[in-house]
Amino acid sequence: MNIDAASKGISRATIKDVAKHANVSVATVSRVINKNGQVAKGTSDRVWIAISELKYTPHAAAKGLRSHRTQTVGFLVPEISAPFQFPLLRGIEMIARKSGYSLLIHATEDIPLLSQPLRPIGEHNTDGLLVLVGSLTEEEILYFYRLKFPIVLICQSAPQSLDIPTILFENKSGAKKIVDHLIEVHGYRRIAFLRGPAKMEDSYWREQGYYESLKAHQIPIDLNLIGMGEFDEEAARITVKNWMKEKLEFDAIFAGDDESAIGAILAIHDMGKRVPQDIAVVGFDDVYLTHARIPPLTTVRNPIVEMGQKAMQQLVQLIQTGIADMKTLLPTELIIRHSCGCTDNTSE
Amino acid sequence: MNIDAASKGISRATIKDVAKHANVSVATVSRVINKNGQVAKGTSDRVWIAISELKYTPHAAAKGLRSHRTQTVGFLVPEISAPFQFPLLRGIEMIARKSGYSLLIHATEDIPLLSQPLRPIGEHNTDGLLVLVGSLTEEEILYFYRLKFPIVLICQSAPQSLDIPTILFENKSGAKKIVDHLIEVHGYRRIAFLRGPAKMEDSYWREQGYYESLKAHQIPIDLNLIGMGEFDEEAARITVKNWMKEKLEFDAIFAGDDESAIGAILAIHDMGKRVPQDIAVVGFDDVYLTHARIPPLTTVRNPIVEMGQKAMQQLVQLIQTGIADMKTLLPTELIIRHSCGCTDNTSE
DNA sequence: CTGAAAGCGCTTACAG
DNA sequence: CTGAAAGCGCTTACAG
């Protein structure tokens, strides 16, 4: 029992205590716990009993300092925001726990990591990083790349085509599917698009899918029908309200994500019109509560939990073996509910 | 540059490198970084320059091993689930970051912490824990208490009235407020209640508030009007559907939380009735998207982000000074929208 | 199969 | 104001 610990009222058993209690050396205790090296069955049993009796668990810092492994990974987000990140976190946490990694979460909030004298997260306190789009600058990504520090990018391709593993949704085909549906099933021709933030790849590819569907159906692109949705409820609401005030004509809105779809629906109600009778609205993502809206939202389902799992699996592999898949594309699924004008779906 | 690091392709600067570069001892570098001890201005400047040039940041494990501080806290949840936890995480992360603590998140998933040979989270890798109701057993809470290891309980009182800091919502008065509203403004007399999980304090106190309001208005308690909501959309939906099939009469439903309120609304629609024209529904929490429902949900707003902030502030204080407020009660606010039958509210 | 010993990168009395 | 040295709790060659 050391003085420091005692002064804090904490007296934790160390590997030394376990060794003494089991009448072996600390090296043997270490071998038993880490299941490396040969240990006689009887010895190993004694050690496990000692561990259990002393309620011993290895000190993470000591282990990390010696072994150069923190058994910890970091999840970087630009800021904590709910609808999309939660299923992602769920998938990540699930695999992290199963793989024996602790999970650190950190919001970068536009504060450069390297500029801080005591960096909040990085190679000094994790074995690898999961980087959600928007959380790191290209420069910061390059910093980790040059260090050969394991990172996996989520919803963002590697800059300069570097070999950094990336997980993406099949945005273009998903977008095409839902616009095809609006055109082929419902006969809409004037379909507005609410685009997401300019720099986001998800947004770019969804827009491409929208164009592709229009083109395939010989519908000319009308730039007046393309507005800022910003993947944001309030921004979308304002855009759609303005459209309606300007008497812009459209019979359906393809919102770049569900957040903006909800903003669109709210705007349409604000203006005294109905969804989908007057204007149909569809979204993208299928996040929390879209099924429980009235009308239930037709959207493209992204396998977000699976994305978190895949990302974490790739990171674990990268840390442990040095290799991982450079590009993982996750397929999307068209979810037809009522906001597009369909009424006879049985699913919920 | 050591062999281990080189083999991983990583060569991180250490405090020794900084010391050499600045022509001082490692002790001095340590003093500069931690701003303890006296250091001459010129010396300190040289050290900072060296740190910046070498892109040095202290190795967390080494620091933790030596100083007995991990500068990390853990957030324990029973499982990752969205609506309530996200604003909580947001508040927690905000204060953790500002206070210089890293944040570990871990879902206990009913797996006892102490039973695991390598414990995923605890006194060996954090300085303190934020414990969300349902994530730890009483025995585990007692384990940390006896160790004098700092923990703060969220939405749960300390077992055996121990002196463990706790953060709670003012559930009873919040529930009373919203039931009062249903009775006094809308004249409803037959108000059903969807209770939450039996063991949750939040649920218990909301039920007490419901009784108190009924009593204050001389409305007898009808146990037929009380059913399982379980703070769960699907459970509530089934309960309300059954009520309606059994021709139970009620003109309003007070759901124990927003999740069950949404289940109730869905059930009422399933049965071909309207909210609020046929049956009014109100919830509790004011989580994500309740404002954007149709009809917008009347509910009691819990200051969830603030709860996360308060909890983290208490934990930091407890870690650093050993003292904290034993009980923090956060006031709630009645949010009147349309699902109760009100129509002329201006807010959104 | 087992142990003695070096050392991971820091902090902190202690001495000056 | 500064430095030399001990030591935090582990893991890992090395030797036997």
Side-chain angles (χ1 to χ4, degrees):
Chain A
M1 191 181 317
N2 66 66
I3 293 169
D4 270 67
S7 73
K8 288 171 66 188
I10 301 177
S11 70
R12 229 186 331 279
T14 70
I15 197 171
K16 235 170 152 175
D17 300 321
V18 175
K20 207 171 295 174
H21 201 271
N23 206 27
V24 294
S25 73
V26 295
T28 298
V29 176
S30 174
R31 286 187 196 103
V32 170
I33 289 171
N34 298 302
K35 303 189 204 316
N36 55 8
Q38 310 281 319
V39 181
K41 178 79 168 63
T43 312
S44 154
D45 288 348
R46 285 211 316 284
V47 170
W48 281 120
I49 289 168
I51 285 172
S52 157
E53 285 182 352
L54 299 177
K55 286 190 209 282
Y56 171 74
T57 200
H59 188 83
K63 192 163 187 154
L65 176 57
R66 197 42 248 243
S67 65
H68 296 286
R69 298 255 142 159
T70 61
Q71 287 298 117
T72 300
V73 297
F75 177 33
L76 292 183
V77 298
E79 56 176 24
I80 309 255
S81 74
F84 179 78
Q85 287 175 14
F86 227 100
L88 200 57
L89 180 62
R90 197 181 161 77
I92 292 170
E93 198 277 341
M94 206 178 292
I95 303 299
R97 184 155 33 83
K98 282 188 189 156
S99 314
Y101 284 86
S102 294
L103 178 63
L104 233 40
I105 182 162
H106 182 259
T108 54
E109 300 271 0
D110 286 323
I111 307 165
L113 241 37
L114 297 173
S115 73
Q116 303 175 65
L118 293 171
R119 288 180 222 157
I121 199 161
E123 71 279 12
H124 60 292
N125 59 358
T126 62
D127 294 342
L129 254 27
L130 256 18
V131 180
L132 181 61
V133 58
S135 57
L136 290 188
T137 63
E138 187 173 319
E139 189 192 343
E140 291 169 316
I141 293 173
L142 287 173
Y143 169 81
F144 289 118
Y145 179 78
R146 292 202 193 97
L147 224 49
K148 297 204 197 305
F149 185 73
I151 63 176
V152 170
L153 303 178
I154 301 177
C155 291
Q156 177 185 19
S157 294
Q160 307 170 19
S161 303
L162 293 174
D163 51 328
I164 302 175
T166 302
I167 321 279
L168 302 165
F169 294 122
E170 278 185 0
N171 285 301
K172 195 170 81 168
S173 65
K176 180 164 185 308
K177 270 188 278 192
I178 204 162
V179 179
D180 284 351
H181 175 84
L182 292 175
I183 298 170
E184 293 168 12
V185 175
H186 298 283
Y188 300 134
R189 308 280 299 176
R190 293 197 51 80
I191 300 169
F193 176 64
L194 288 170
R195 63 154 65 103
K199 285 186 180 172
M200 273 177 102
E201 273 174 70
D202 284 337
S203 173
Y204 174 81
W205 289 111
R206 288 172 197 179
E207 188 164 344
Q208 298 309 308
Y210 165 76
Y211 293 145
E212 210 162 83
S213 174
L214 293 185
K215 202 163 297 173
H217 295 89
Q218 277 127 40
I219 299 174
I221 291 166
D222 180 350
L223 292 179
N224 294 315
L225 289 176
I226 298 177
M228 298 305 226
E230 295 295 314
F231 289 177
D232 179 78
E233 182 188 309
E234 204 43 40
R237 191 173 186 166
I238 292 167
T239 298
V240 174
K241 248 180 171 163
N242 285 339
W243 279 345
M244 294 178 75
K245 282 180 191 157
E246 293 162 7
K247 309 282 183 208
L248 185 68
E249 301 243 331
F250 49 94
D251 33 39
I253 297 174
F254 169 38
D257 77 338
D258 289 346
E259 298 271 311
S260 49
I262 285 162
I265 291 175
L266 257 17
I268 292 166
H269 284 283
D270 289 341
M271 300 300 286
K273 298 284 187 181
R274 294 161 306 162
V275 178
Q277 295 89 337
D278 299 313
I279 300 169
V281 174
V282 299
F284 205 115
D285 277 350
D286 198 32
V287 292
Y288 176 67
L289 278 193
T290 48
H291 72 286
R293 289 201 53 79
I294 297 168
L297 193 68
T298 290
T299 191
V300 176
R301 177 174 294 164
N302 273 333
I304 309 180
V305 174
E306 196 186 314
M307 172 175 256
Q309 295 177 318
K310 274 273 184 241
M312 188 64 206
Q313 281 161 359
Q314 293 301 321
L315 184 59
V316 169
Q317 221 184 91
L318 189 61
I319 291 170
Q320 297 180 346
T321 70
I323 47 178
D325 301 333
M326 283 309 130
K327 191 165 183 176
T328 305
L329 270 183
L330 297 175
T332 62
E333 182 190 356
L334 183 59
I335 303 292
I336 297 174
R337 297 201 184 94
H338 300 175
S339 69
C340 57
C342 285
T343 53
D344 58 348
N345 75 311
T346 51
S347 81
E348 182 64 353
Chain B
M1 192 181 315
N2 66 68
I3 293 169
D4 269 67
S7 73
K8 288 170 66 187
I10 302 176
S11 71
R12 231 189 325 283
T14 69
I15 197 172
K16 236 169 150 174
D17 300 321
V18 175
K20 208 171 295 175
H21 201 271
N23 206 24
V24 295
S25 71
V26 295
T28 298
V29 176
S30 174
R31 285 189 196 102
V32 169
I33 289 171
N34 297 302
K35 302 189 203 318
N36 55 9
Q38 310 280 321
V39 181
K41 180 77 168 66
T43 312
S44 153
D45 287 348
R46 284 211 316 285
V47 170
W48 281 120
I49 289 168
I51 286 173
S52 157
E53 285 182 352
L54 298 177
K55 286 192 208 285
Y56 170 75
T57 199
H59 188 84
K63 192 162 187 156
L65 177 57
R66 194 45 247 240
S67 64
H68 297 285
R69 298 257 143 158
T70 60
Q71 286 299 116
T72 301
V73 297
F75 177 34
L76 293 183
V77 299
E79 56 176 24
I80 310 257
S81 75
F84 179 78
Q85 287 175 16
F86 227 99
L88 199 58
L89 180 62
R90 198 180 159 78
I92 291 170
E93 199 276 343
M94 204 179 292
I95 303 300
R97 184 156 32 84
K98 282 190 189 154
S99 314
Y101 284 86
S102 294
L103 179 63
L104 233 41
I105 183 162
H106 182 259
T108 54
E109 300 272 359
D110 285 326
I111 306 164
L113 240 37
L114 298 174
S115 74
Q116 302 175 64
L118 293 171
R119 288 179 221 156
I121 199 162
E123 71 279 12
H124 61 292
N125 60 358
T126 62
D127 293 343
L129 253 29
L130 255 18
V131 179
L132 181 60
V133 58
S135 57
L136 290 188
T137 62
E138 187 174 319
E139 189 191 341
E140 291 169 316
I141 293 173
L142 286 173
Y143 169 80
F144 289 119
Y145 179 78
R146 292 201 193 99
L147 224 48
K148 297 205 197 307
F149 185 72
I151 62 176
V152 169
L153 303 177
I154 301 177
C155 292
Q156 177 185 19
S157 294
Q160 306 170 20
S161 303
L162 293 174
D163 49 329
I164 302 175
T166 303
I167 320 279
L168 302 165
F169 293 123
E170 279 185 359
N171 286 300
K172 195 169 81 169
S173 65
K176 182 166 185 308
K177 269 189 280 192
I178 203 164
V179 180
D180 283 351
H181 175 84
L182 293 175
I183 298 170
E184 293 168 11
V185 176
H186 298 283
Y188 301 133
R189 308 281 298 178
R190 292 196 52 79
I191 300 169
F193 176 64
L194 288 170
R195 63 154 66 101
K199 285 185 177 172
M200 274 177 101
E201 273 175 69
D202 284 337
S203 172
Y204 174 81
W205 289 112
R206 288 172 198 180
E207 187 165 345
Q208 298 308 309
Y210 165 76
Y211 293 144
E212 210 163 83
S213 174
L214 293 185
K215 201 163 295 172
H217 295 87
Q218 276 127 39
I219 299 174
I221 292 166
D222 180 349
L223 292 180
N224 294 314
L225 289 176
I226 298 177
M228 299 305 227
E230 295 294 314
F231 289 178
D232 178 78
E233 182 188 308
E234 204 42 40
R237 190 173 186 168
I238 291 168
T239 297
V240 173
K241 248 181 170 165
N242 284 339
W243 279 345
M244 294 178 77
K245 283 180 189 157
E246 293 162 4
K247 309 283 184 206
L248 185 69
E249 302 243 328
F250 50 93
D251 32 39
I253 297 174
F254 169 38
D257 77 337
D258 290 345
E259 298 272 309
S260 48
I262 285 160
I265 291 174
L266 256 17
I268 292 166
H269 285 283
D270 290 341
M271 301 299 287
K273 299 284 187 179
R274 296 160 306 163
V275 177
Q277 295 89 335
D278 299 312
I279 300 169
V281 174
V282 300
F284 204 114
D285 277 350
D286 199 32
V287 292
Y288 175 65
L289 277 193
T290 48
H291 72 286
R293 288 201 54 79
I294 297 168
L297 193 68
T298 291
T299 190
V300 176
R301 177 174 294 164
N302 274 333
I304 309 180
V305 175
E306 196 186 314
M307 172 175 256
Q309 296 177 317
K310 273 274 185 237
M312 187 64 206
Q313 281 161 358
Q314 292 301 320
L315 185 59
V316 170
Q317 220 184 90
L318 189 61
I319 291 170
Q320 297 180 346
T321 70
I323 47 177
D325 301 333
M326 282 309 128
K327 191 165 184 175
T328 305
L329 270 184
L330 297 174
T332 62
E333 182 191 357
L334 183 58
I335 303 293
I336 297 175
R337 297 200 184 95
H338 300 176
S339 69
C340 58
C342 284
T343 52
D344 57 347
N345 75 311
T346 51
S347 82
E348 183 63 352

